[in-house]
Amino acid sequence: MNISPGFFYVFAGTSILFSLLVILNRSAIASAFSLLVVFFSFAGIYALLDAHLVAALQVLIYAGAILVLFIFVIMLLNVEQASFDYKRGRILTGVFAAFGAFGMVFLLGRVFRSGSAPLQPGPFSPENIQAAGGNTRVLSELLFSEYVLPFELTSVLLLAAIIGSVVLAKRGVIEKKSKEAK
Amino acid sequence: MLFLIALFPLLGFLANGLWHALFQARPVRSGALIPGLVGSAAIGTSFFASLLLFVRLKGMPVSQREVEDVLFNWVTAGNLSIDIAFRLDPLSSVFLMFITGVATLIHLYSIGYMENDKTPAKFFAYLNLFCFSMIVLVLGSSLPLIFLGWEGVGLCSYLLIAYWYSDLEKASAGKKAFVVNRIGDVGFMIGMFIIFAKFGTLDIAALRALVRQAQEAGAAGADIGMITTVCICLFVGCIGKSAQLPLFVWLPDAMAGPTPVSALIHAATMVTSGVYLVARMNFLYELSSMASHVVAITGLATALFAASIAIAQTDIKKILAYSTISQLGYMFLGCGVGAYAAGVGHVVTHAFFKALLFLGAGNVIHGMHQQQDITKMGGLKTKMPKTFLAFAAGALAISGIPPFSGFFTKDEILWRAYSSPEGSVWFWALALLTSILTAFYMTRLFSLVFLGKPRFQKSTQTPGESFRVHEAPGIMVIPVQILAVLSVIGGFIAIPHLSWLEHWLSPVLGQPHQSAAVAGGSGMEWLLMVVSTAAAALGIFVGLKVYANLPRVDRIKERWDWVTGVLRNKWYVDELYGAVFVRPIYRLSLALWRGFDIAVIDRLVLGFGKATVWTGQTARLIQTGSIQVYAFVILVGILVTAGYLLYGVA
Amino acid sequence: MSQVEPWVVLSFCSIIFFIGFTGLLIRRNILVVLMCIELMLNAVNLTFVTYAKLLQNLGGQVAVFFIITVAAAETAVGLGLVVAMFRTLRSVDTDQIQLLRE
């Protein structure tokens, strides 16, 4: 693929390193900050792959919204760190899991390597996209034409999530109020 | 219209059954009047409808006398298609009328007889269910439907014999009847299977048409062996249901049931369904002379055998039971020699006089406070004059004294046994001997019960109790008197040569076989008639003479002790069956129970249970509740699947 | 060497995915478990984008757009649940939250 190998390997290496940190770090807050680095690296890879809108969304939503939410909750709960230790049995599981995951990666890599069957390229070559006004414009037009129904359904999903969060967050308050009433 | 006849008893059964289930679950003495009236009304309406249908049938041209009523499809499987369909033709019409008629009278009688019963609604529900089944049996247009009625009457018979089920002896009598009947039913079923395999239909009209067609094409000769097999298989069913040799043992025991039940089921209707089946399938029996011979010889042997046992019995109902078996033998003899109309005629008159005798016996038992031993009766003539008169009519009818009804039909059978090409002089002679025995044992019964001096005052078990023999109430006497009138005049439907019955049944049963040699011999017929009348008179005369002097009877008994012993013990048939069939099977069952049931089956079943518990307890460990363990298992699953897809398929 | 083979990118995605999965298995803090899920979702997103580039079809990027939306909603609800759970059970330890066992 026509991407710069230097940048890709830097970003990929950073991602792998910091995702390992995410899962191995004992402190939740450290995990969260490692995750932030992974998100940024991913945004870089997206940009390399000409997915400019996705790269922007990655930074805005993952790094800007989701991760902030995580950090916010971690600070809100403020649980002491000692209880976050892995258990002894868990390490054995981890070894097994790592082996299993390695097996999966190996299998998938084999698939990806051998999967060089001639694939029919779609209409969105870089030249076409450039001519039509760039990645963001083309993607937006797609969203509002071909994918308009899922797009609208997404709004319903978000609404449901909002209501759900509100219910979860307010439940304790309501219980407390009913207790006071008694 | 036709289904209404069956519907009314069914409604009666439902009404009484629900009434019993809802209100009489606890035994409460509540009188038999209301349930009895409901039951009687149900069957009475059926009787009325049968009469209407008979009139309608009579108005039709002779060759088209048939009413069919298809209700709905019952079973469809492969080639097999069975409709719930009723068909009325002259034969079923005759059966229907006497069944519903006699049943109505017996229902009315039961109101009096079951007066002090604790669960009269149950009793009348069973009786109505029996009538329903019997009507289905008679009206069913195909063999499976007949079989349905056949099993239904068997069930009701069981229920009613064991009606007083708290008495162990009565309950086991019901069981015996049920089990013995099943043996015959296997034969019936095998016969049906063969018919279906060979002809592809179980509808009787279609079957008849097929057989006739094959007969005309001359192809029937090839299949004669198969037809014989079918006939004998069906006849095995009849042997069970109609209590012929060797399956007759259940009928005497069935007398444990209430007397109206004995009158209705075990004398007038159910036990004649075997004769009905043979007459219904006459087109098959006519083709196979061997099967016909089997029927005739079985019938004759049973007639003689049962009559001989009846001589030595002392229980009033058992005597009548053996007499029923003997008379059924006559009917089969008639059918076996090709005189189906004569057989059916005897069914009808027998229904009248045997129902009469049983109900009369019921009156006697009722009046004697449940005493059934005739040696402890005597002199009831003056105590129960109405019953005495009616009983006398019945006894004369069964003995075959003209012009009582039994004479005509029985004599017709005797004549056919002699004159038919399938018959012979020996058949006639043995049947005549049976006739003498019949007259003798009926006279013995009659004389011991009604004549002579009372023998019960001194032999009552509880001398202190006031013991007053009394005539039965009106509701029990009037049906007996109606039956007595029918027994006297009923024979006129079957007067030889002028026989209305034979003419009426001829579209179904055809003409009786007449051997060429004796066809013209009407002189011979008269002669035989006189001989048989004389024989009956002889039997009666000897009976009266012997039993007028009871001490002498005892002396005779002592001298011929081994003969009377054998007869009293019913030729040891029950003991023989016990030794040959029942006890070995019992031992085998015991061995199987210990060796196989407990050792193998129970262990297997319990093992399944234990294995399930063990599996559950083991599998429970997997459910840790930890999401991460679940996720790990998923990973393993994916790994295995992906590995298989990559390396396993190719 | 100015090229990166597609399988390299895709294998990279699967590595990240299974690092996330391993984290999911070994961590007890439910917040970290949720982060691992985000990691796995990111790996899937990258696969979509790679194929979009490879096949010159923008459908993949549209899918990523939807996945990001769903992930945002999921995180919001998931963290809400964690907070509610913490209120009642006073714990975010998955070893102690095994209600499914009974």
Side-chain angles (χ1 to χ4, degrees):
Chain A
M1 271 190 305
N2 190 16
I3 56 173
S4 156
F7 277 114
F8 175 75
Y9 286 121
V10 169
F11 285 136
T14 318
S15 300
I16 291 174
L17 185 66
F18 278 87
S19 20
L20 284 174
L21 279 178
V22 169
I23 67 165
L24 295 177
N25 222 311
R26 292 195 175 191
S27 150
I29 202 92
S31 289
F33 278 106
S34 307
L35 193 60
L36 185 66
V37 180
V38 178
F39 285 162
F40 276 120
S41 307
F42 265 70
I45 297 174
Y46 290 149
L48 285 179
L49 289 167
D50 291 340
H52 307 299
L53 179 66
V54 174
L57 288 176
Q58 175 81 4
V59 174
L60 285 175
I61 296 176
Y62 269 112
I66 295 179
L67 208 65
V68 169
L69 199 59
F70 267 109
I71 293 167
F72 192 68
V73 170
I74 290 167
M75 290 162 76
L76 182 76
L77 299 184
N78 194 23
V79 192
E80 65 270 28
Q81 274 180 359
S83 71
F84 295 153
D85 232 345
Y86 328 115
K87 258 162 77 177
R88 242 176 283 158
R90 186 58 44 76
I91 291 174
L92 195 67
T93 318
V95 173
F96 275 119
F99 269 109
F102 179 76
M104 276 315 293
V105 170
F106 176 77
L107 283 179
L108 286 174
R110 200 174 163 282
V111 174
F112 296 141
R113 273 183 95 165
S114 62
S116 56
L119 292 162
Q120 200 65 41
F124 298 101
S125 65
E127 295 78 28
N128 287 353
I129 292 174
Q130 207 59 49
N135 174 275
T136 308
R137 189 187 179 99
V138 175
L139 200 57
S140 311
E141 277 167 1
L142 265 181
L143 272 180
F144 284 103
S145 56
E146 201 177 336
Y147 295 97
V148 71
L149 183 65
F151 183 77
E152 292 299 332
L153 284 177
T154 314
S155 63
V156 178
L157 174 78
L158 286 173
L159 184 64
I162 290 168
I163 294 171
S165 310
V166 168
V167 168
L168 284 170
K170 288 215 82 173
R171 196 168 58 180
V173 181
I174 295 166
E175 276 167 6
K176 208 174 273 175
K177 268 187 183 166
S178 66
K179 256 181 203 167
E180 278 166 12
K182 276 174 191 168
Chain B
M1 174 73 189
L2 211 44
F3 75 96
L4 286 177
I5 298 179
L7 184 67
F8 288 123
L10 188 63
L11 289 177
F13 159 66
L14 290 176
N16 269 331
L18 278 177
W19 176 264
H20 173 75
L22 292 178
F23 302 114
Q24 290 196 330
R26 288 170 293 119
V28 184
R29 187 165 291 192
S30 56
L33 189 63
I34 292 170
L37 282 180
V38 169
S40 310
I43 187 66
T45 321
S46 274
F47 175 56
F48 188 64
S50 323
L51 286 182
L52 284 181
L53 274 167
F54 169 72
V55 171
R56 201 166 113 195
L57 212 58
K58 206 165 162 45
M60 291 177 176
V62 176
S63 57
Q64 296 164 10
R65 278 178 180 162
E66 199 172 281
V67 181
E68 200 171 355
D69 199 351
V70 181
L71 291 186
F72 54 88
N73 185 278
W74 183 24
V75 180
T76 303
N79 307 333
L80 179 70
S81 174
I82 304 165
D83 287 337
I84 296 284
F86 295 137
R87 188 180 292 126
L88 186 78
D89 61 5
L91 178 63
S92 42
S93 162
V94 166
F95 267 84
L96 199 59
M97 278 192 299
F98 89 77
I99 287 168
T100 51
V102 171
T104 309
L105 291 176
I106 291 176
H107 273 70
L108 287 170
Y109 177 89
S110 304
I111 297 176
Y113 193 84
M114 303 303 281
E115 191 182 31
N116 293 325
D117 193 64
K118 289 200 175 73
T119 52
K122 187 169 89 171
F123 180 78
F124 283 99
Y126 287 167
L127 273 191
N128 274 164
L129 184 63
F130 168 78
C131 292
F132 167 73
S133 309
M134 196 66 209
I135 289 167
V136 169
L137 194 164
V138 170
L139 286 181
S141 72
S142 61
L143 280 172
L145 206 54
I146 291 181
F147 191 66
L148 184 73
W150 188 272
E151 292 300 311
V153 293
L155 169 70
C156 295
S157 161
Y158 161 73
L159 290 173
L160 286 165
I161 293 169
Y163 179 71
W164 289 307
Y165 53 84
S166 50
D167 184 338
L168 188 65
E169 195 188 328
K170 286 167 181 168
S172 59
K175 250 189 308 191
K176 186 172 178 183
F178 203 72
V179 171
V180 174
N181 266 300
R182 293 290 82 64
I183 299 172
D185 292 344
V186 172
F188 193 146
M189 282 201 279
I190 292 173
M192 274 204 295
F193 298 156
I194 299 176
I195 287 177
F196 184 70
K198 205 73 193 176
F199 294 99
T201 179
L202 288 168
D203 185 271
I204 288 164
L207 195 63
R208 185 184 162 116
L210 275 176
V211 170
R212 285 277 143 82
Q213 208 180 333
Q215 209 177 352
E216 274 161 27
D223 285 339
I224 205 74
M226 185 272 298
I227 287 175
T228 305
T229 316
V230 167
C231 288
I232 289 177
C233 283
L234 291 179
F235 185 59
V236 169
C238 302
I239 285 176
K241 189 64 64 187
S242 296
Q244 297 295 291
L245 275 176
L247 296 180
F248 70 95
V249 287
W250 66 270
L251 188 57
D253 286 15
M255 295 301 128
T259 308
V261 171
S262 309
L264 177 62
I265 301 183
H266 306 116
T269 54
M270 185 187 85
V271 287
T272 60
S273 53
V275 184
Y276 172 77
L277 186 67
V278 172
R280 176 54 78 201
M281 304 306 284
N282 69 80
F283 52 91
L284 282 180
Y285 283 90
E286 269 176 7
L287 291 179
S288 163
S289 65
M290 189 181 151
S292 291
H293 269 115
V294 170
V295 173
I297 290 170
T298 309
L300 188 58
T302 311
L304 194 55
F305 186 74
S308 73
I309 297 176
I311 288 176
Q313 297 299 308
T314 54
D315 183 321
I316 182 167
K317 285 180 74 180
K318 292 234 161 132
I319 296 173
L320 291 176
Y322 281 107
S323 148
T324 305
I325 297 172
S326 168
Q327 298 297 312
L328 287 165
Y330 268 126
M331 296 167 203
F332 280 112
L333 173 64
C335 290
V337 297
Y340 299 101
V344 172
H346 201 55
V347 168
V348 177
T349 54
H350 173 258
F352 293 150
F353 60 69
K354 191 49 70 66
L356 161 64
L357 289 173
F358 264 112
L359 296 187
N363 282 354
V364 170
I365 295 167
H366 189 259
M368 293 289 294
H369 299 264
Q370 308 306 318
Q371 177 61 267
Q372 299 197 5
D373 190 342
I374 54 171
T375 59
K376 293 172 182 162
M377 296 179 184
L380 292 183
K381 185 168 103 178
T382 49
K383 302 262 173 33
M384 313 178 77
K386 292 174 192 158
T387 306
F388 163 73
L389 268 180
F391 204 92
L396 288 174
I398 194 174
S399 306
I401 298 296
F404 293 91
S405 62
F407 167 73
F408 295 107
T409 49
K410 186 197 267 183
D411 195 66
E412 178 75 3
I413 290 173
L414 288 180
W415 164 242
R416 296 296 177 195
Y418 173 73
S419 69
S420 152
E422 277 99 16
S424 73
V425 184
W426 292 108
F427 281 12
W428 176 81
L430 288 174
L432 189 71
L433 178 61
T434 309
S435 161
I436 297 172
L437 290 177
T438 308
F440 178 73
Y441 69 69
M442 278 319 295
T443 311
R444 168 176 176 266
L445 170 68
F446 186 75
S447 144
L448 283 176
V449 172
F450 289 102
L451 306 179
K453 289 194 192 94
R455 291 181 300 277
F456 44 82
Q457 257 107 358
K458 53 176 182 277
S459 62
T460 336
Q461 290 119 340
T462 48
E465 198 181 314
S466 66
F467 191 85
R468 201 173 61 81
V469 177
H470 56 87
E471 177 65 285
I475 191 130
M476 289 166 71
V477 171
I478 291 166
V480 175
Q481 285 170 333
I482 295 174
L483 283 170
V485 171
L486 285 171
S487 300
V488 174
I489 62 167
F492 290 101
I493 58 167
I495 294 176
H497 296 294
L498 304 171
S499 174
W500 166 84
L501 190 71
E502 194 177 305
H503 180 67
W504 169 252
L505 291 174
S506 62
V508 186
L509 301 178
Q511 294 298 326
H513 303 192
Q514 196 85 320
S515 149
V518 287
S522 76
M524 189 68 185
E525 192 176 347
W526 281 108
L527 180 64
L528 292 183
M529 214 180 267
V530 170
V531 170
S532 72
T533 310
L538 174 74
I540 292 175
F541 175 74
V542 173
L544 283 176
K545 198 79 188 159
V546 169
Y547 282 92
N549 187 353
L550 287 177
R552 198 172 68 196
V553 173
D554 289 337
R555 278 204 304 280
I556 296 173
K557 259 190 204 158
E558 270 164 37
R559 189 177 306 161
W560 297 93
D561 192 38
W562 64 276
V563 177
T564 51
V566 165
L567 294 182
R568 202 166 37 242
N569 290 305
K570 310 146 197 170
W571 294 86
Y572 296 104
V573 170
D574 275 335
E575 286 75 9
L576 179 74
Y577 287 177
V580 177
F581 299 112
V582 179
R583 236 163 292 146
I585 288 177
Y586 180 75
R587 290 220 190 90
L588 182 69
S589 311
L590 211 63
L592 282 179
W593 171 53
R594 297 230 175 92
F596 187 68
D597 215 60
I598 291 182
V600 180
I601 293 180
D602 281 6
R603 203 169 284 173
L604 201 67
V605 172
L606 294 178
F608 270 118
K610 278 179 193 157
T612 313
V613 169
W614 181 83
T615 314
Q617 273 169 348
T618 312
R620 199 173 64 98
L621 300 177
I622 299 172
Q623 192 189 347
T624 56
S626 163
I627 319 154
Q628 285 147 334
V629 173
Y630 298 160
F632 182 63
V633 173
I634 293 174
L635 173 70
V636 172
I638 295 172
L639 201 60
V640 169
T641 315
Y644 174 74
L645 287 174
L646 288 175
Y647 298 105
V649 178
Chain C
M1 272 296 281
S2 68
Q3 292 282 344
V4 177
E5 290 295 320
W7 71 268
V8 177
V9 184
L10 293 170
S11 297
F12 165 67
C13 295
S14 68
I15 289 169
I16 297 292
F17 183 89
F18 281 102
I19 289 174
F21 192 82
T22 313
L24 181 83
L25 292 186
I26 64 172
R27 291 306 295 247
R28 288 164 66 193
N29 188 335
I30 199 157
L31 286 162
V32 183
V33 168
L34 281 174
M35 285 183 213
C36 291
I37 291 171
E38 296 304 325
L39 210 53
M40 291 159 76
L41 279 171
N42 265 285
V44 172
N45 282 352
L46 185 55
T47 318
F48 270 112
V49 174
T50 313
Y51 273 112
K53 172 87 176 166
L54 200 63
L55 301 176
Q56 299 190 349
N57 188 336
L58 284 187
Q61 294 190 19
V62 175
V64 171
F65 176 84
F66 290 128
I67 291 173
I68 290 176
T69 324
V70 171
E74 172 249 318
T75 310
V77 177
L79 288 175
L81 279 170
V82 169
V83 172
M85 207 145 66
F86 184 75
R87 263 196 216 133
T88 48
L89 300 172
R90 308 306 303 175
S91 170
V92 287
D93 187 346
T94 52
D95 281 1
Q96 286 170 22
I97 310 168
Q98 296 193 341
L99 297 175
L100 275 180
R101 183 169 205 155
E102 303 312 322

